[in-house]
Amino acid sequence: MQLSRSCLIVALGLTTFTAAALAQTAPTKPVKRSVPPQLVALTPPMGWNSWNYFAGKVTDQDIRNAADEIVSSGMKDAGYIYVNIDDTWEGDRDADGVLHTNSKFPDMKALADYVHSKGLKLGIYSSPGPKTCAGFEASLGHEVQDAQLYASWGIDYLKYDLCSYIPEVMYKQAPNDAGARMKLMIGAYDKMHKALAATGRPMVFSLCQYGWDAVWEWGPSVGANLWRATDDIQPDWNSIYTLLNEQQGLAKYAGPGHWNDPDMLEVGNGRLSLAENRTHFSMWAMLAAPLLAGNDLPHMKPEIKAILTNRDVIAIDQDKLGREATHVYSDGEVDVWVRHLAGGATAVAVLNAGSDRTTNHPFHLDLARLGLHGAQKGKDLWTGKDIELTQNMPLEIPSHDILLVRIAQPK
Ligand code: GAL
């Protein structure tokens, strides 16, 4: 017989715990792997990726500029280490099947050396199909050769994006069998995982297949350090809020070395307001998401830099326990999420997805629903000031803004 979660709470006599509190204390899933894990991504990877700003226009010089700026802006000191080239670096294969870069990237080894000389790491991108999403040469049939090539260049991170593998392999080989198509996909990721492992070079392995077939259940078994759990992010509030809510229920699948990925950051891109940028960054930290900035670093505004380098918020993301936040409750358009942190601390996020909540009509925070009893001393991570949270306290939160509080000793 299977007990529902609420029956289980009653059966265990956990009357002072909410279901959400129980979910937070539940251990993350044990991970079965096809080859031993590499000790990378023990906390969610942090860095920058070229796609969200440069897309297909990215060049070697853009990557060097990004690396320079990560260092000079203080982002490196705040933890941003990976500089990731996304799609469109690929050229043609020669007669021996060796892949060459295109003219935008004249010398990948020299670029890797440059990035490494800054104390940073270099990431790259490919697909298990014949072509990448942008139509460039990909790894089908050349997985071992490509993994060796990446290792010889000194690559530290691979994003492997399904794309043309869907029509060219999955649908061609199993047009009428969804189960067989999924097996082919998992097999393709496992193949590259083994090829990377065989190089002996530690490389973060990032799966990009948009969350199909409950990737969080099988991703770790094919060596994934992170897996996209959603469709592509866009630099607008609706996209960010939709992707955030799609993470509900996935917390138990994340943990050191293997993370849910709600896609790269759009902080500083598009028409996001400052409040929206803050909320996006706060919630990606609550989700233990990879923090891969995607903005135009050399032209970054000071207020965007301040968001991306907020050490207190980054510390939530990078918390050693590696437990992702859970959504505890919503009241109207206000959502409350809680993340359980190392050393017994707790982070509480109160996000207003609706219109301004002001003094005439504040939001009242129900601490008891978070399993918290009595006044809680904490730090407001955006003002940097001490704050005391009390039962049903009125909160004024502007539209699309957030209150993010770390409580060191929750009661
Ligand atoms: C998409 C992917 C994006 C980007 C793009 C490159 O499939 O989700 O993040 O990598 O391909 O072509």
Side-chain angles (χ1 to χ4, degrees), residues 262-283:
D263 208 355
M264 304 170 294
L265 294 168
E266 292 282 15
V267 174
N269 285 341
R271 290 173 181 273
L272 292 173
S273 69
L274 261 193
E276 290 167 347
N277 279 308
R278 221 175 0 246
T279 300
H280 174 26
F281 193 66
S282 303
M283 288 312 301

Side-chain angles (χ1 to χ4, degrees), residues 367 372-378 387-391 407 409-411:
L367 287 179
L372 298 171
H373 303 285
Q376 310 287 326
K377 287 192 191 317
I387 184 170
E388 186 170 67
L389 299 181
T390 53
Q391 178 63 17
I407 304 168
Q409 293 174 312
K411 292 179 280 178

